[in-house]
Amino acid sequence: MASMDIIYDKFHFRHDPKWSGRLGPAEGGGLLVCMACVIEMIDSAQVASVRKSFALSGISEVLRSSPGALRVLLQQDHRVSMRFTASLMGMLHSMEDPTSLEKVHQVLVQLLLELQSEVLYRFVLDEINKQLSDQQSAQAFLPTFKLLGNLVEVVPNLAHSLITQYVPLLEHLCSALLYPDEVLKASVVFVWLKLFGAAGGSAAQSLPTTIRDRVCILLLQTLTNAGSPQLINNCTGLLWLLVQLGETVSVLMNSPDSQTMCSESHNIHANNRQVVCQYQEQQPPDQRHLPLILKQLLLSGDEMLQVTSAKCIASVLVHSPSQYSAPFIKADVPEFLFDCLASTKSDMLLWSAYSCLVLMTEEPLFFSQCHSVYGIESLVRSLKEALQLFSLEVQRQGLLLLTEILKRQPPNVRLFPSGPGFAAVSEVVKAAVTSSCLLVATQGASAASALFRLNHQSRPIQYTEVEGLVEAITYRFPELPQPSPANLRSSGSLKRSGPSSQASRSKGFLLQALVCFQAACRLAEECSSEPVLRVNTFTTPSKHNDAQNSLESLCHCLLHCCDSIWIPTVIRMCELVPSAQILQQFYSIISCQFTLLPPLMPVFANKLASSGFYRLALEHKGFLCVGNRNPNLNASCCGFLQKLSRCLLSQANPASGSYQYDAEEVENLLLYNLPSLCCRLSDWPTLLCEAPGLQLCEYKGPRATQYCLVIILHLALQQGDRLLPDQTVFSSVLWLLLSVQEQGSCVLPQYVLCSALYLLAMTQDRSPSLDMAHLNCISKALSSCQSFSSLYIHHPALLHFICRYPELAEKFGPIVLELWLTNQAGQTMVTVSLKGDETECHADEEKDQEPDKETMELLELIEKYPSVLLTVLDMICTREPPLAERALRVLKVLLCGQRHYEVNLSSSLRPALLQALQRLSVENMGHGLGQRRTEQAVNSLPLVLKLLCMTQASDPPSSFSCSKMDEVHFKLLYHVSNIAGRLKPTDTESLLPALSYLYCCLSVSPAHCADRAVSMLLSNSGLMDQLQTVLAASSSTAPSFSPSACPPPALLCCSHLLISSLITLQCVHNAQVHKSINWGLDTAVKRLLVQKRNTDNLLLVSYLRLLQALLDVDLASAVVCVSTGPGLVGSRPPGVHDGALYPLGFRGAQCLSAALSGLLLQKHELLLRASVNCLSSLLGFLQRKSHVTAKFVVCQPWSRFLCCCLLSSGESCLLHPAILRFITLLLQHSSTAVLWEPDLLQVIEAVERRGVKDLRQEAVQVLRLLLSQIQSSVLHPPPTEKHKQRMRDVMEALGPQTADVSCSPSLPSNILHVGDVSICLSDFTLKAGCSST
C-alpha cells in the first residue's frame, strides 16, 4: 500500500482492476483507490484500526473533493455498495476509538448522500433496527443513535420513511429515553428533535399518536431530571417543536405518571423487560408538570433557556389561554416572568415574556392572585428601558401587556395607590405616545385610555399627569400626514393601501387617540360627580392652592385641546374620506364637553353652531347612516345635536316663564326624530312639504319630523349657518303654517311657531312679499299663542318683518317694540360735566357718543317705517317707567341726530305731545296734579315733559315763528304752564322739566312772539305761586318743606333762570304782573360770598343770572320784590351811599364785588361768563346810582390781585373771551388795577404768538373792544409809539367789525343740557357794555 493510495498490497493482487481507480482532484493526480481493498481491510480483524482509520479518511476526502467519482466506481455492481455499507455499519459496534467512530459516521453519511439510493436507505434503517433489537448494552446504542440523528438531519426524506415504515425503530427510540445515561438520552432526543423538525414539522403529523404521546411524556420525564447542558438544550429544542402542535400540547399539559409509562414499555418491549424496568425503577416516583419544568428553566439563569422557556409558555397558551393559563398561574410562573423583565435587557426575552403575560391576562386567576399588583412596577421599569431600545415589536408587545393589565384589573384592587406610582406609569405612556413610530404611539394611546379609568387613579388624583398625557397625544396631530386627493387616487382607498401604509397607520393612531381622549373626558365627568374627587381631598396642605393640579384645570385643558386641535384635525382627516369609527368618537367627545365646563358652554356652543357643525353632523348622518348603517355613529351624532340644541335654547329666552317647558318639549322632539333623520339636506324641502298623514304620537310621525326640521333650521340660522336657501326655507315654512291650519284641530306647538316666525323674519329679504292670504295665515298663527312674548326672539329681522306689513304692525307692532326695548341693555344717560379748567362745552360729547346697537336698529326702523315713531311715543305716554324711559332714550338719540333724516322730527312729535298733555290735563281735571291720580298718568307726565324739552333743544334757531307760536308752541306753553302751576311742590320729577321748558321757551322766542308768552306766564298765578314756593323752600325757614324735602339744586336753578327771563322780558315788553315773587337779596349775596364751596356750580350760575337781571333793572322789578337785610344796607336810617344803592347798599356792593372776584378764579366756563356779566351789570348799576362807589369798587387792591392771577394762568386763560371782557370792564371804569406793562402788553404778545386766525369769533370781537378801550383810556405809564403800532397791527389783523359787539358762544346748539337743567346759551353771551335804564 502506497503512502497516499488506498490499496492494501496484501489483498490487492487478487482483486479485479475494475474496482480500482485514481480518484480525487485532477490537478493533484488523485488517489489510487481500490474499493475491494477498502472493504477487506474493514472486514479483516488482522488489519490494524489505524490502517482502517486511514482508509476511511481517504474515502471521506474523495467523497468530499470529487463528488460522483466514487459513485461511478461503486455503480458497477450494487452488491459492492451494499457490502461496503454493511461493513461500515459493522464498524459502529466493533470500534471503540471515538475518533474512528466519528470517521465511520462521516463516511456513512457521505456515502449515502453520494449514492442517493433508496435501497441503501432502507438497508441502513433495517440494520439500525436490527442492532437496536439485538444488543443488550445501552452503551452500544450510542453510535447507532448518533448515526441515525445525523442521517435524519441530512437526508431529506429519511424522516418520513422512518416515521411511516419503521414504527418498531421509533419504539426503540422511546425506550432508549428510559436509560439513565444522559449522553445516550441526548443522542436519542437529538433524533426526535430532527424527526419533529423535518420538513418544517409536517413529518410529525404522520407520527402514530401513541408514539407521539410517549415522546411527550418521556420528554417531560427526561427534562425533569436532565443535568447535562447538551441534554437540556436538546430537550428544550424538542419541547419548542412539540408545543407548537395542538395535539402534543394537550398531552404535555395532561401527562400520565411514570408508572403508566413503565407499563406501556413492558408491554411493547418484552424482550427488554428486565433492562427497561430496571432503569425505570431508578426514576423518581412522579414527574413534574410542564409549568414547573418551564418555571425551572426560567430560574436557570441561562438567557437562551429563559427565552426558550418563555417561547414555549407562549406557544402553549396560544392554543387555549383559558384552558392552559391556570396551571402556569398556579405555578407562579407570572411572578418569575415579571422578575425576568426586571433583570434583562434582551429583546428576545422581553418580547417572549411580554407575550406570555399578555396571554395569561385573559385568565381571571392572574388578577385574583395579585400577580398584576406584584409585577406592575417591574413592567413599568422594563417598559421605560424598552422604549429606549430599537426593537419596535418589543415596545408594542410591552405596551400591549400594560394595556391588558389596565383593562382587566379588578376595580377593587388598585395598581397605583400613591401618586409616584401613577406618575411613573404616566411617564412611560407619555414616552410611548411621543414615539416616532405611529404603531408604538397607537399602542401607547390605547394604554393611556385604559390608564384613564377611575380605579387606576391614585389618591390624590394626579390631574397634572392626566393633562400631560392628553397634551402629549394632542401635540402628535400636526405630524400626521395631510390627506389629499392625489394620495387617494394613488392608493385607491385606505382599505386597499393595507394596514402597513402610512395613511392607515395615521388613521389608526387618530382613532385610538380619540378613544383615549374620550376616556379622559369620562374620567373628568366621573370625578366631577364625586365631591371628594372634585376637590382632591387628600392633597397635602402645601398643594391645595396649586390651581394646575385640579379638576377645573383638567377640564379647561380638555376643552382647549378639543377646540383648538382635535376638532380641526378630525375635520381635516375626514374631509375627503369620512370614517364612521373616527366620527363616532369625535362627536362623543364634543358631547362630553357640554358637561365638563357648563359656564363656558354658551360660547362653545355658539362657536360650534356658527362654524357649521349643524351642517357637518347632518351631512355625516345622511352620508354614513342611511339605511340603518353605522348605528353607533348615528347615536353619537344625535347625542351631539341634542346637547348643542339644548345649550343654544338655554340662551334664547331665559327670562320667559315657558322656557323650561319649551326646552323639554324640544328635547323630546329631537330625541325621537333625530335618529330617523338620515337623509341629505337636499331632501329636506321634500320632507317639509310632505303631507303629514296620520300622527300617532306627539313626538313621532311625519309632522313631528317637520317640526324637528324647523327647529334645527332655526337654531342653525340663528348662528349664521344657512342649511337651505332662504327662498326654500321661506316657502316651506309658509306651507307648513297653511298645512297646520288646514288640519283644523292641529295647533302648531309654541316652540315650533317661535322657530317658524324667526325663519320667516330672517329669510324675508330674499323672498317675495307676502300676499293677503299668507298674512292672514301668519296673523292667525301668531294670535293662537296666548303670549306673544314666548314667541319673541331679540333680532332686528323680527322688527322689520312685523313692521313691514301694516296688517302685522297694527296687531303685533307695539308688543314687538315693547319686547325689543325690554330686552335692550340699559344705557347710562350722558351728562355734561363742567368742572375745573374746561373751557369747552361738552354738548358735542353728548351728541357724538355712539348709541348702542339696539337703539341704532330702532332708529333705522323708524327711518324706514315712520309710523313706528308714534308707537314709541305712545309707549312713553302709556307704559311703565322702565319701558317708557327706554323709549325716551331712543327718541332722545333720534332727536339729537335728526340731521340724518329728511323730516323735522320735532315738528312731527309736537302735535302728539300736545295731545298727550291735553289728555293728562283732562284726566286730572277736578283735582290738582300734585294730588293722587292714576298711576299711569303719574308715571308718564315726567317723561312727556322731558321729551318736550328734548324736542325744544333739537329745534333749529329759525323754527320759532309767530304762526307756529299761534298754532303749536303757544298751546304747549299754555298747557305746560298750567300743569306746572297745579303740580305739588314736592313733585320735582315733573316740575323740573316743566320749568325748564318754560324757561327755554321764553329765552329762545323771538321778540315778536315773546310778549305774548311772558304775558301769559305772568298771568298764571299758580305758576307764580309755584316759583315763590320753590324760592322759599331754598331757605331753612320754609314752612312747606322739611329739611329732607328741600328742592333739589336743579329745580332751584331752573326757577332762578325762569324768573330772570321773566324779569328781563317783562321790562322789555312792559307786561302786566298779577302776582309778584318775594326774594331775599341778602340771602343770595351770602350764598355767593360765604357758601359757594358747598353750592353746586350750576346753582351759582343761576344766582348770578338772576342777580344780573335784577341789577339791569336797578333791583326794581314788578316780577320780583327784592328784600334786603342789615348785612347789606347797615343800620337805619341809611346813609347817603346806602340810600342811593338800596336795597343793595354800599356794604352789599362791596360784598357782591368780592364774591364775583372769587368766582372769577373758579375757571368754570358758565360760571366765568355769568360772573363777568353780573360784574358788568353791577358796575353799570353802581355807575348809575353812585359813581363814587363804582370807582371805589374797581380801584380796590383786590382788583389788581385778581387781574394778576388771571393773566398769569396761561395763554389759554389769557385770551379767554371772559377774561378779556373783564379787563375791558376795568378799563371802562378807569380802574388803576390794569397796567399797560406788563398786563396789556402781555395780552398783545399772546395774540401775536397765537395769531388772529386761531382765535374764536367771540374772542376776536371781545379783543377788538379791548383794543378800542385801550386807545381811549389813559394808562400809566402810557404805551410807546412802538406799542401803539403793534396794537394798530393787531386791529388791522382783526378786520372790520361785521357783527354786533354781543356775540354768541361758539357752541353748536341754542340750548345746552347740563344734567336735568336746560340752559339757553344766549343768556350767557358776554355783554358789550353797561346796561342803563
Side-chain angles (χ1 to χ4, degrees), residues 602-895:
V603 177
F604 184 61
N606 291 339
K607 183 175 182 180
L608 290 175
S610 61
S611 301
F613 265 76
Y614 268 110
R615 177 183 297 273
L616 188 69
L618 292 168
E619 287 180 346
H620 285 151
K621 276 170 57 66
F623 179 68
L624 296 172
C625 302
V626 65
N628 295 325
R629 294 186 300 129
N630 301 312
N632 293 333
L633 172 60
N634 191 13
S636 181
C637 288
C638 292
F640 162 70
L641 290 173
Q642 289 174 26
K643 289 189 176 181
L644 177 61
S645 302
R646 184 189 306 126
C647 188
L648 294 176
L649 285 170
S650 66
Q651 308 171 46
N653 288 315
S656 175
S658 59
Y659 157 70
Q660 188 64 30
Y661 173 78
D662 290 349
E664 293 177 359
E665 295 289 331
V666 173
E667 189 172 350
N668 289 331
L669 186 69
L670 297 176
L671 178 65
Y672 285 103
N673 291 276
L674 277 178
S676 60
L677 192 62
C678 297
C679 60
R680 298 183 181 273
L681 292 176
S682 57
D683 298 330
W684 280 27
T686 305
L687 292 177
L688 284 169
C689 298
E690 192 177 57
L694 182 61
Q695 190 79 10
L696 299 178
C697 176
E698 182 180 2
Y699 301 118
K700 295 182 180 180
R703 182 68 79 192
T705 302
Q706 292 172 345
Y707 293 166
C708 180
L709 295 179
V710 170
I711 291 173
I712 294 177
L713 287 171
H714 165 210
L715 294 176
L717 184 57
Q718 201 168 23
Q719 301 299 325
D721 189 4
R722 299 180 181 272
L723 300 180
L724 295 176
D726 284 359
Q727 293 185 1
T728 303
V729 174
F730 191 80
S731 60
S732 299
V733 173
L734 284 178
W735 186 94
L736 178 63
L737 294 177
L738 290 171
S739 175
V740 170
Q741 292 183 9
E742 288 175 357
Q743 283 189 332
S745 59
C746 182
V747 179
L748 203 65
Q750 176 178 300
Y751 51 88
V752 179
L753 182 57
C754 177
S755 298
L757 177 60
Y758 177 81
L759 292 174
L760 290 175
M762 292 297 295
T763 58
Q764 171 67 86
D765 291 341
R766 296 181 177 88
S767 305
S769 298
L770 295 172
D771 55 21
M772 188 56 64
H774 286 133
L775 286 174
N776 291 335
C777 173
I778 294 174
S779 179
K780 184 177 179 181
L782 297 180
S783 301
S784 65
C785 184
Q786 296 180 355
S787 174
F788 186 85
S789 60
S790 61
L791 304 178
Y792 175 77
I793 295 177
H794 195 67
H795 196 281
L798 182 60
L799 283 176
H800 288 269
F801 177 71
I802 295 296
C803 296
R804 177 176 182 176
Y805 301 100
E807 296 82 2
L808 298 179
E810 181 180 359
K811 194 170 185 180
F812 305 104
I815 183 62
V816 169
L817 289 173
E818 181 177 339
L819 291 170
W820 178 269
L821 290 173
T822 302
N823 286 272
Q824 178 182 356
Q827 298 182 13
T828 303
M829 291 296 293
V830 180
T831 58
V832 179
S833 175
L834 299 174
K835 297 182 181 179
D837 57 353
E838 298 176 355
T839 58
E840 295 293 333
C841 191
H842 290 201
D844 289 338
E845 296 180 8
E846 181 178 355
K847 291 185 177 181
D848 293 340
Q849 182 170 352
E850 288 295 330
D852 58 79
K853 184 179 180 180
E854 285 81 1
T855 301
M856 291 303 300
E857 291 292 346
L858 271 182
L859 298 183
E860 293 180 6
L861 186 71
I862 293 174
E863 181 183 12
K864 193 173 184 180
Y865 308 107
S867 61
V868 177
L869 181 65
L870 298 179
T871 305
V872 176
L873 178 60
D874 183 66
M875 291 182 185
I876 297 175
C877 300
T878 59
R879 295 298 189 270
E880 292 297 321
L883 178 60
E885 289 171 358
R886 294 189 186 101
L888 179 64
R889 284 196 292 269
V890 172
L891 291 185
K892 180 179 180 181
V893 175
L894 185 65
L895 289 169

Side-chain angles (χ1 to χ4, degrees), residues 1119-1131:
V1119 178
V1120 176
C1121 295
V1122 179
S1123 61
T1124 187
L1128 298 182
V1129 296
S1131 60

